[in-house]
Amino acid sequence: AQSVTQLDSQVPVFEEAPVELRCNYSSSVSVYLFWYVQYPNQGLQLLLKYLSGSTLVKGINGFEAEFNKSQTSFHLRKPSVHISDTAEYFCAVTPRGADGLTFGKGTHLIIQP
Amino acid sequence: DTAVSQTPKYLVTQMGNDKSIKCEQNLGHDTMYWYKQDSKKFLKIMFSYNNKELIINETVPNRFSPKSPDKAHLNLHINSLELGDSAVYFCASSQYRSGEQFFGPGTRLTVL
């Protein structure tokens, strides 16, 4: 079985400041990794994914994440946040060749003007 | 065009009632899912169907019964609704084992 830990339930950041949302996972097999964003009262939108290849993955809206196999981490970063980035961010994992996502508990990103 | 759609968006009902939520995807995917998001926003998979065949059936009360009439549709029927069933239910679709899933807008179920 696999698990995902998002270390911060809430991250307040000033507008135009950089941000990092942390995600660690546990799995006995190789995995695919994802970050999803959920804006208030909306569904989940894929920000970025790591399937294979380069460990630095770029996504939509200026976000990027780095896969670190030795630390079993997949932290999400953005160099300069905007008010519109206020949302809930979910890290998720699925074993390669399997099905169904296991989600972390989410990190609420709060952008302060 | 909406890729994954769900109806209804909101559902308010009394305890003990039976209700259904419908999901449709127009992405040509062969696998569909139901997830439950609780009041603390925790997301957990409930079911997965591949080509109309049940693949994942997590520990979910048997009051919940998914039905897939074809690859593009996955409905969720809930019998004898309980207060604890109140949640947001998300449908998703993907190509089997590709990893990337596309989510619908969710159905907020409130049981009174």
Side-chain angles (χ1 to χ4, degrees):
Chain A
Q2 51 284 332
S3 65
V4 177
T5 302
Q6 291 184 243
L7 297 162
D8 305 298
S9 60
Q10 197 165 282
V11 173
V13 183
F14 285 108
E15 197 172 11
E16 298 183 9
V19 69
E20 178 179 82
L21 305 183
R22 297 179 291 170
C23 172
N24 286 87
Y25 70 93
S26 172
S27 177
S28 56
V29 297
S30 296
V31 296
Y32 295 147
L33 292 152
F34 306 86
W35 276 99
Y36 282 86
V37 60
Q38 185 178 27
Y39 298 106
N41 298 314
Q42 293 189 28
L44 283 85
Q45 181 180 7
L46 181 68
L47 272 180
L48 47 77
K49 61 187 176 187
Y50 173 77
L51 304 182
S52 64
S54 173
T55 57
L56 182 61
V57 180
K58 292 193 183 297
I60 62 170
N61 301 340
F63 284 93
E64 63 180 33
E66 185 151 22
F67 169 56
N68 188 320
K69 188 175 181 181
S70 62
Q71 297 186 3
T72 60
S73 68
F74 191 53
H75 300 332
L76 181 70
R77 301 185 185 99
K78 186 169 183 177
S80 175
V81 296
H82 303 284
I83 288 286
S84 59
D85 292 323
T86 298
E88 196 81 22
Y89 291 80
F90 293 94
C91 182
V93 64
T94 187
R96 294 178 183 222
D99 213 20
L101 293 169
T102 299
F103 283 89
K105 292 190 175 181
T107 298
H108 187 197
L109 179 60
I110 302 168
I111 310 300
Q112 301 169 326
Chain B
D1 281 345
T2 303
V4 183
S5 59
Q6 295 179 230
T7 53
K9 190 170 174 62
Y10 299 97
L11 187 51
V12 181
T13 188
Q14 300 287 330
M15 263 179 22
N17 284 350
D18 302 339
K19 289 293 178 185
S20 292
I21 306 172
K22 295 186 176 183
C23 178
E24 177 180 1
Q25 56 95 3
N26 62 8
L27 297 167
H29 291 158
D30 58 5
T31 307
M32 296 183 72
Y33 312 81
W34 279 111
Y35 288 86
K36 179 181 180 180
Q37 186 175 45
D38 64 22
S39 59
K40 296 186 178 178
K41 294 194 178 290
F42 183 59
L43 280 150
K44 187 171 168 58
I45 190 165
M46 301 172 69
F47 302 103
S48 166
Y49 267 79
N50 173 248
N51 284 322
K52 302 194 297 176
E53 184 181 337
L54 183 64
I55 300 297
I56 294 176
N57 184 357
E58 291 294 318
T59 308
V60 175
N62 57 16
R63 299 181 293 104
F64 290 78
S65 53
K67 282 194 172 51
S68 181
D70 56 57
K71 287 195 302 183
H73 296 84
L74 180 62
N75 303 324
L76 183 65
H77 188 74
I78 316 170
N79 289 328
S80 304
L81 278 154
E82 300 177 358
L83 293 176
D85 297 333
S86 294
V88 181
Y89 293 85
F90 286 101
C91 178
S93 73
S94 75
Q95 279 301 115
Y96 187 51
R97 297 183 175 178
S98 69
E100 181 176 353
Q101 296 180 18
F102 294 80
F103 283 78
T107 296
R108 183 174 293 276
L109 171 64
T110 303
V111 182
L112 304 175

